[in-house]
Amino acid sequence: MYLILKPGLDPDLQNRFVEELKAARLEVVPLPGLNRRAFALVGSPEITERFATHPYVEECIRDAAPYKRVARALHPHDTLVPLGDVSIGGDSFIVIAGPCAVETPEQMQSVAAAVRAAGAHGLRGGAFKPRTSPYSFQGHGRSGLQLLREAASPHRLPIVTEIMDAEDLPAMMESVQVLQVGTRNMQNFSLLKAVGSQKKLPVILKRGLAATLEELLLAAEYIVDAGNEAVILCERGIRTFETATRNTLDLNAVAWLKTKTHLPVLVDPSHGTGLSELVPPLSKAALAAGADGLLIEVHPDPTRAWSDGRQSLDPQSFTRLMRELRPLAQLFGRTLP
Ligand SMILES: [Mn+2]
């Protein structure tokens, strides 16, 4: 909610009113540029509503958007999130690549070398895998983190991996550089609070497969509200009536999110389409739609992948895609660092 105070109100009274708001456990964010004192209130909707009819208030604007800390309206500049030597957000366009799952030391070492050579900025790989079927490969768990570390470190590649359980946070903090909250956990609020209560690792928050964009922003708000402002959103395809592709990659989401939030937005065209031949065109479309980067599945031999082989690029196709993205990025005013 936004409050605009009455004109000509004594400055002492104004200050006293602000103190009253703060005492009610509301955060008061000043809105500059108006000829009268105005501010946004961040906090419980029930409490903010109490002040709507206060005698000092000239006008109260009830904002339809229930998220505040992630809103661009209160924070017009892009948030930059560090990833190794580069940052996500702003003018750069970054690419994080790697297999769906960490399988073997050979697989990880070969893919890390390949994606680094092609110019990727981070290595992805799942050690803990949320699988639809309990009979599918569940990931190596903590020993998978070790394999990730061994593969990434010779190339100085930052590691991005999914966290499924807050219990694994200490192990993750020692092994990886970016946490990923997967699509199935987007509304796992205790996990969101846990990854938000540490500030060491940024968090990639994937959109739930049936989540609205407002729900995605509110999930991000949980992490930021818990204390961690380094949140990166990721559009990874949603479930629609269409069955020709695994999901429907929602590029509306990218353009919409960029207007509503200061947080960086990545696109995952691998899960978004489920088909490796669609990954290059949708990667370029994501760049054109204003995404800040890509999260792509790459496997040394997709036909032998333990999971998501059908949507994984082989190193050659990934290298070609990176080559094609570079001049395109420039065309759109972005740089591939
Ligand atoms: Mn996958």
Side-chain angles (χ1 to χ4, degrees):
M1 182 156 71
Y2 300 92
L3 294 184
I4 302 170
L5 296 190
K6 285 191 170 146
L9 190 66
D10 180 70
D12 277 350
L13 292 180
Q14 293 187 20
N15 293 338
R16 217 175 302 159
F17 181 57
V18 170
E19 289 314 310
E20 208 180 314
L21 293 168
K22 288 180 179 165
R25 311 218 315 181
L26 294 174
E27 191 184 330
V28 182
V29 184
L31 297 174
L34 293 172
N35 54 2
R36 270 172 295 154
R37 197 152 175 195
F39 30 72
L41 298 180
V42 182
S44 140
E46 292 78 14
I47 297 175
T48 50
E49 196 55 41
R50 272 190 234 153
F51 291 94
T53 51
H54 193 281
Y56 297 170
V57 173
E58 165 102 326
E59 201 182 340
C60 151
I61 300 161
R62 285 177 187 78
D63 183 8
Y67 44 85
K68 293 285 177 287
R69 299 183 198 287
V70 303
R72 201 181 269 285
L74 297 185
H75 181 309
H77 307 293
D78 285 345
T79 284
L80 301 183
V81 178
L83 177 78
D85 302 331
V86 301
S87 25
I88 311 181
D91 289 340
S92 52
F93 187 79
I94 64 98
V95 181
I96 298 163
C100 180
V102 175
E103 299 168 5
T104 65
E106 297 73 33
Q107 171 237 16
M108 284 314 298
Q109 284 158 20
S110 123
V111 80
V115 302
R116 173 48 109 191
H121 310 97
L123 179 67
R124 60 148 291 154
F128 298 88
K129 300 299 301 172
R131 303 303 301 278
T132 303
S133 160
Y135 306 117
S136 300
F137 175 54
Q138 303 287 309
H140 287 305
R142 295 198 182 180
S143 60
L145 296 179
Q146 175 71 19
L147 295 185
L148 267 169
R149 249 194 341 240
E150 284 165 9
S153 74
H155 308 284
R156 299 187 59 247
L157 276 168
I159 298 169
V160 177
T161 202
E162 173 160 1
I163 181 163
M164 286 174 58
D165 193 318
E167 231 176 47
D168 298 318
L169 197 50
M172 294 271 182
M173 284 167 86
E174 278 173 24
S175 308
V176 311
Q177 284 67 49
V178 181
L179 298 170
Q180 178 184 308
V181 172
T183 191
R184 290 163 186 81
N185 274 319
M186 190 201 83
Q187 286 187 315
N188 180 340
F189 299 116
S190 55
L191 183 61
L192 298 179
K193 286 177 187 173
V195 299
S197 61
Q198 57 82 41
K199 289 186 178 189
K200 188 181 172 200
L201 304 181
V203 181
I204 294 179
L205 177 64
K206 289 194 142 190
R207 180 183 183 183
L209 45 89
T212 66
L213 294 174
E214 186 171 289
E215 285 163 348
L216 171 63
L217 287 177
L218 282 170
E221 187 93 0
Y222 264 90
I223 303 174
V224 177
D225 189 54
N228 187 355
E229 292 174 8
V231 179
I232 303 143
L233 305 172
C234 182
E235 161 59 34
R236 48 78 68 201
I238 50 172
R239 189 165 279 183
T240 68
F241 56 83
E242 184 54 72
T243 55
T245 50
R246 178 176 176 180
N247 289 294
T248 295
L249 188 65
D250 180 11
L251 292 180
N252 285 6
V254 177
W256 187 88
L257 287 168
K258 292 303 291 179
T259 69
K260 298 292 180 195
T261 178
H262 52 86
L263 299 176
V265 180
L266 298 182
V267 166
D268 171 353
S270 308
H271 293 89
T273 62
L275 300 167
S276 58
E277 61 273 29
L278 301 189
V279 170
L282 272 302
S283 296
K284 295 167 197 167
L287 166 65
D292 297 298
L294 300 166
L295 198 57
I296 298 184
E297 287 189 341
V298 179
H299 192 282
D301 183 356
T303 58
R304 288 165 187 258
W306 296 5
S307 65
D308 286 353
R310 184 63 188 87
Q311 68 195 33
S312 299
L313 292 180
D314 59 33
Q316 292 76 17
S317 327
F318 178 66
T319 306
R320 195 178 317 125
L321 171 61
M322 288 297 282
R323 252 200 324 261
E324 290 169 354
L325 284 172
R326 215 167 279 279
L328 272 180
Q330 222 167 15
L331 195 65
F332 288 106
R334 312 298 287 263
T335 48
L336 243 90

